[in-house]
Amino acid sequence: MNTSAATALASNDTSAIQALLSYHILNGTYSASAVTETPAFIPTLLNNSAYANVTGGQVVEVVKQGDNVLFYSGLLANASVTTADQNFTGGVVHIIDNVLTIPQNVSSTAIAAGLSGVAGALTQADLVDAVDTLNDVTIFAPNNSAFQAIGSALPNLTTSQLASILQYHVVNGTVAYSSTLENGTSVAALSGGDLQITIADGDVFVNSAKVLIPDVLVANGVVHVIDNVLNPNNSNAAPEPTASVQAPAFSGASSASSLPLTSGIPTPTAAIGAAPTPAEETTSSAAGEATSAPAGGVASSVGTGAMGVAALFAGACMWMNV
């Protein structure tokens, strides 16, 4: 059982328990055979604004990896279907082997996942509350190496300049899961200006930054971890798909010996991608340095409802709601 579920039960927090159960009920009826290797992100009945600010309800991601059907939730915690397609008069139940994790807000997810550079930059720019309370966001979050690579440029930025750079990483009003990103399209950044999407040889790039870890669900949308800090003054930066590392978008910047902007930022409180399966391949348990996504590129979601009563005591039930 994950920490958030255990805490809710131990403290008898009725609201948290209701939210957890709602997150296990998916809005629709879906059989296991409907799950493919293409990511699907299906709304659940979790629409309490204290826990989710996603229009239509917080989603869970489900994907087929080999012979396994996997559900991915907050911090990419995963659960495998152990018994599928248990029909009842209201829909269908899938039994899963782990309790789903309700996605946390952006700042908490950054800290938990080891994205210390993001957490520190948001704090320095006084944007924590603003980013956490937006509805329907897509955030392209640079990993720690990306911040360190332009370390010489960061200490001299004003709060306003840093805020403008960070806002260029945020898309407000659109939750763009990886399966909805299309090659050659653009999305409007919160700060103004566009972000260019490129898909080459199965890799996704935003401007010149490569998406390393897609589809980290957060309370108000989705985060994609990238390998470069985006520069609003260099919006035409293009990727080099065959390069192992993308060049920084800030010309003239040099790397720092230590990660900037992170004074006072807590150490990671959880590992991203809890309860990994043999099909999952990552080079690090923390998003701050991980360089690959789950096998198959993305975890996708089965469109069904999920009821986690059994999960709280033994296994977990994914409940399909009609």
Side-chain angles (χ1 to χ4, degrees):
M1 185 180 300
N2 59 56
T3 301
S4 60
T7 300
L9 287 176
S11 61
N12 197 26
D13 185 335
T14 301
S15 176
I17 293 172
Q18 289 175 342
L20 183 63
L21 296 180
S22 296
Y23 190 49
H24 286 74
I25 304 174
L26 305 182
N27 197 357
T29 299
Y30 302 84
S31 65
S33 62
V35 182
T36 70
E37 294 179 356
T38 299
F41 299 84
I42 307 302
T44 71
L45 296 191
L46 177 56
N47 53 25
N48 183 336
S49 61
Y51 298 92
N53 286 309
V54 178
T55 299
Q58 182 57 272
V59 305
V60 65
E61 183 183 10
V62 182
V63 66
K64 186 175 183 180
Q65 293 182 5
D67 293 329
N68 298 320
V69 173
L70 300 178
F71 287 83
Y72 284 81
S73 53
L75 290 175
L76 290 181
N78 69 65
S80 299
V81 173
T82 57
T83 305
D85 299 330
Q86 301 299 296
N87 295 316
F88 70 107
T89 54
V92 61
V93 171
H94 297 311
I95 309 299
I96 57 177
D97 64 359
N98 203 359
V99 182
L100 301 180
T101 298
I102 295 176
Q104 303 173 35
N105 62 30
V106 174
S107 58
S108 296
T109 296
I111 292 172
L115 292 169
S116 304
V118 170
L122 289 173
T123 301
Q124 291 286 330
D126 196 24
L127 287 177
V128 172
D129 288 342
V131 170
D132 283 348
T133 55
L134 289 171
N135 293 344
D136 296 331
V137 299
T138 302
I139 297 175
F140 297 97
N143 67 358
N144 293 341
S145 295
F147 280 101
Q148 196 163 345
I150 62 165
S152 67
L154 295 175
N156 297 323
L157 295 174
T158 66
T159 299
S160 176
Q161 289 171 330
L162 180 59
S164 179
I165 291 171
L166 294 177
Q167 289 167 344
Y168 187 58
H169 293 71
V170 179
V171 178
N172 188 208
T174 299
V175 185
Y177 304 109
S178 63
S179 59
T180 67
L181 297 174
E182 297 182 357
N183 183 46
T185 60
S186 63
V187 291
L190 180 62
S191 63
D194 291 333
L195 300 170
Q196 305 299 321
I197 304 300
T198 302
I199 301 177
D201 297 326
D203 291 323
V204 178
F205 299 86
V206 53
N207 291 358
S208 62
K210 181 179 180 179
V211 174
L212 301 178
I213 304 177
D215 303 319
V216 181
L217 302 178
V218 290
N220 54 348
V222 68
V223 169
H224 304 295
V225 180
I226 58 177
D227 70 350
N228 221 331
V229 178
L230 305 177
N231 185 349
N233 295 319
N234 188 12
S235 59
N236 292 323
E240 294 289 344
T242 60
S244 58
V245 178
Q246 299 298 307
F250 291 78
S251 60
S254 58
S255 62
S257 58
S258 60
L259 185 60
L261 306 177
T262 55
S263 176
I265 299 301
T267 55
T269 56
I272 196 168
T277 67
E280 188 173 3
E281 300 170 358
T282 57
T283 59
S284 172
S285 62
E289 299 301 332
T291 58
S292 62
V298 188
S300 59
S301 63
V302 128
T304 66
M307 181 76 168
V309 176
L312 300 178
F313 302 102
C317 290
M318 289 304 296
W319 200 311
M320 318 321 225
N321 183 52
V322 291

